[in-house]
Amino acid sequence: MRRATVLIAFVLLALAPAGAAALPNETITIRARNGPHVFRVEVAADDASRELGLMHRTHLAPDAGMLFDFGVPVMATFWMKDTPLPLDMLFVRQDGTISTVAPNAVPFSTAEIAAAEPVRVVIEINGGLAKKLGIGPGDRIQASIFPKVR
């Protein structure tokens, strides 16, 4: 009986989604021209979690996302390999303003999606949501890592 239990546990672990370890969560606000939009994001702040990102996820709540924090401004490049969800990518400068938006990244694509300038953060949300909510370049992200602005 013990052998069967160990085998079942091994199979369940093997079938668990990659990166099943929970990431820290934070509530952020995107201050768009048409008003604030609140998201609950997972924070990927180390190499392993940034590499995994939202790969293999088949669902993302409408008010959810992932915030990739690089710690310092970098020329970030992403792709959608192993990612079944269409995503909008918000490239965010060190001061918390959105530099560019890459809308509706194509699921499973290996095409590179690159920042237009060095960015501190990339935020991924459901594809098409940035346009629907009026989120665009110049809008400000309110999050613990960015300076407070009045």
Side-chain angles (χ1 to χ4, degrees):
M1 182 67 149
R2 178 168 164 77
R3 183 175 178 198
T5 303
V6 170
L7 181 59
I8 289 170
F10 177 76
V11 169
L12 289 176
L13 284 173
L15 294 176
L23 294 175
N25 283 274
E26 180 175 352
T27 299
I28 66 168
T29 302
I30 300 176
R31 301 230 171 258
R33 287 173 282 293
N34 66 351
H37 304 287
V38 177
F39 290 88
R40 185 77 178 155
V41 296
E42 295 174 66
V43 179
D46 61 33
D47 290 340
S49 61
R50 284 191 300 262
E51 185 176 322
L52 182 62
L54 292 172
M55 287 172 36
H56 310 291
R57 305 273 184 103
T58 57
H59 175 75
L60 187 62
D63 62 345
M66 183 166 280
L67 183 151
F68 297 81
D69 182 6
F70 295 98
V72 296
V74 299
M75 290 300 295
T77 302
F78 283 67
W79 66 357
M80 296 290 289
K81 185 177 184 299
D82 299 322
T83 306
L85 298 170
L87 299 170
D88 289 346
M89 295 181 193
L90 314 176
F91 292 89
V92 185
R93 298 179 187 100
Q94 177 76 22
D95 68 357
T97 58
I98 296 174
S99 165
T100 54
V101 175
N104 286 305
V106 177
F108 302 111
S109 173
T110 57
E112 290 187 349
I113 303 165
E117 63 183 280
V119 294
R120 161 78 188 265
V121 163
V122 175
I123 299 171
E124 292 180 340
I125 58 176
N126 281 297
L129 198 52
K131 182 177 181 179
K132 179 180 176 184
L133 298 177
I135 296 170
D139 291 346
R140 182 167 295 282
I141 309 300
Q142 189 175 356
S144 64
I145 60 172
F146 294 122
K148 304 271 188 252
V149 179
R150 294 181 183 209

